[in-house]
């Protein structure tokens, strides 16, 4: 297998991945494998189903917050303050309806690109992987079920939630398959370039959160850093595309057309610049 694309989780920041994919389409860079977590799983499934980049961008631009989730503040507060069974803060029924309307699962089954997504088994904490032969809407909803904010989701009667809890950037899948060329799309500059110390409590909390998200990626990379590889297993070429600046907590749930357009543009221009520098 020659090429793989890794799509990280990051909620509404996933619009950045659409811009990256637009650039990759322009240069005719086509992966044989796409691995996605959380919102990256949704984008991966859309690409695998044959959805054009124009259609994918249109879906992002035309589904604002109300088309993705609804607030359930009162049930959430009751569960939190009265010791009742946990209720999520957000209802993701609109997201499920949107995916059901727009994602062609039969086309996904026939995808020439291998699509692999992840979710975490709630009871055991184990990371589960699924490919396009089995992916249903339930798997996608589970992969992007951000803990506490979104409700956990059953797959085959077993509860799961966001794959980002264990592997927000599932690079390890491509490495295990010994892919020769890998492009990783991060949704934060953390892990891509050095950053100055946080200047406030808010920035400090954001940095801790981003370190949590980048953990699986950083844990995988040292295994290959500094190795020349062998004739049988040469070191893969790994390129990274990431936003140049911190996006903040609010960006995770901001599905406004303004942010979507800004991130699609940023994804496109950063891919062109960062991949050219890597090359």
């Amino acid at each position: 297998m020659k090429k793989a694309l890794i799509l990280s989780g990051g909620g509404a920041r996933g619009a950045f991945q659409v811009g990256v994919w637009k650039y990759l389409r322009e240069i005719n860079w086509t992966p044989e494998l796409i691995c996605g977590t959380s919102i990256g799983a949704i984008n991966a499934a859309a690409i695998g189903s044959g959805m054009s980049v124009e259609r994918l961008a249109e879906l992002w631009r035309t589904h604002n917050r109300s088309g993705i989730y609804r607030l359930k503040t009162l049930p959430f507060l009751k569960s939190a303050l009265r010791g009742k069974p946990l209720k999520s803060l957000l209802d993701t029924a609109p997201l499920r309806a949107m995916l059901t309307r727009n994602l062609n699962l039969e086309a996904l089954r026939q995808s020439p690109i291998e699509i692999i997504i992840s979710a975490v088994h709630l009871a055991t904490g184990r990371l589960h992987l699924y490919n396009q032969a089995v992916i249903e809407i339930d798997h996608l909803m589970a992969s992007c079920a951000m803990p506490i904010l979104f409700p956990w989701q059953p797959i085959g009667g077993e509860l799961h939630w966001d794959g980002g809890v264990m592997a927000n950037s599932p690079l390890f899948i491509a490495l295990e398959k010994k892919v020769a060329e890998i492009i990783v799309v991060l949704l934060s500059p953390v892990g891509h370039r050095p950053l100055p110390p946080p200047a406030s409590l808010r920035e400090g909390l954001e940095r801790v959160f981003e370190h949590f998200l980048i953990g699986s990626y950083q844990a995988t990379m040292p295994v290959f850093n500094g190795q020349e590889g062998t004739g049988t297993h040469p070191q893969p070429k790994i390129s990274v595309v990431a936003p140049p600046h911190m996006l903040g907590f609010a960006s995770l749930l901001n599905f406004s057309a303004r942010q979507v357009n800004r991130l699609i543009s940023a994804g496109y221009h950063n891919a062109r610049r960062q991949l050219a520098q890597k090359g």
Side-chain angles (χ1 to χ4, degrees):
M1 190 174 287
K2 295 181 179 180
K3 298 177 182 178
L5 178 65
I6 311 299
L7 301 179
S8 303
R13 299 174 186 174
F16 184 87
Q17 296 169 351
V18 180
V20 176
W21 182 241
K22 178 181 178 182
Y23 175 73
L24 295 179
R25 291 284 77 216
E26 285 189 4
I27 64 173
N28 294 315
W29 192 92
T30 302
E32 289 98 343
L33 170 68
I34 302 179
C35 305
T37 293
S38 198
I39 195 63
I42 291 178
N43 282 335
I47 293 169
S49 72
M51 187 179 295
S52 69
V53 67
E54 293 79 14
R55 175 59 177 156
L56 182 57
E58 179 185 2
L59 286 178
W60 270 93
R61 291 183 176 117
T62 55
H63 287 82
N64 58 20
R65 186 188 74 179
S66 63
I68 304 298
Y69 61 84
R70 293 189 291 256
L71 280 168
K72 297 197 307 179
T73 307
L74 188 57
F76 174 76
L77 290 176
K78 284 182 177 180
S79 71
L81 299 177
R82 298 181 182 178
K84 294 183 178 295
L86 178 63
K87 300 290 185 181
S88 64
L89 177 61
L90 306 174
D91 174 14
T92 52
L95 174 60
R96 176 180 287 274
M98 186 274 287
L99 292 175
T100 301
R101 288 193 309 269
N102 293 284
L103 192 61
N104 187 336
L105 292 176
E106 289 306 313
L108 179 61
R109 303 269 180 271
Q110 305 301 318
S111 175
I113 303 173
E114 184 176 8
I115 306 296
I116 298 179
I117 69 170
S118 66
V120 172
H121 188 269
L122 191 60
T124 64
R126 293 182 64 85
L127 187 70
H128 289 185
L129 303 178
Y130 306 94
N131 66 16
Q132 73 265 38
V134 301
I135 292 172
E136 301 283 353
I137 300 300
D138 284 348
H139 298 82
L140 296 172
M141 294 298 295
S143 184
C144 66
M146 289 186 281
I148 313 303
L149 295 179
F150 289 2
W152 47 60
Q153 297 290 328
I155 298 175
E158 299 287 333
L159 297 178
H160 294 71
W161 63 12
D162 202 312
V165 172
M166 293 295 174
N168 196 55
S169 301
L171 172 62
F172 74 94
I173 301 172
L175 296 178
E176 288 179 353
K177 290 178 174 287
K178 298 179 173 57
V179 178
E181 182 180 356
I182 305 168
I183 293 177
V184 181
V185 184
L186 303 178
L187 297 179
S188 164
V190 174
H192 178 56
R193 66 178 183 84
L195 296 172
S200 66
L201 175 60
R202 180 185 178 88
E203 289 185 8
L205 293 173
E206 288 177 352
R207 189 71 61 85
V208 170
F209 176 73
E210 297 296 347
H211 282 169
F212 162 74
L213 291 182
I214 203 66
S216 63
Y217 170 77
Q218 295 289 42
T220 304
M221 286 297 289
V223 176
F224 289 83
N225 286 344
Q227 294 184 8
E228 295 299 326
T230 66
T232 305
H233 302 302
Q235 185 179 24
K237 175 186 177 183
I238 301 177
S239 303
V240 179
V241 181
H245 307 292
M246 296 288 285
L247 299 177
F249 283 132
S251 65
L252 293 167
L253 294 174
N254 181 5
F255 289 89
S256 68
R258 180 178 181 180
Q259 172 166 285
V260 166
N261 284 322
R262 179 170 59 84
L263 288 179
I264 290 176
S265 177
Y268 176 85
H269 291 292
N270 279 278
R272 183 169 62 181
R273 180 172 63 253
Q274 292 169 9
L275 294 177
Q277 291 173 350
K278 181 70 175 182

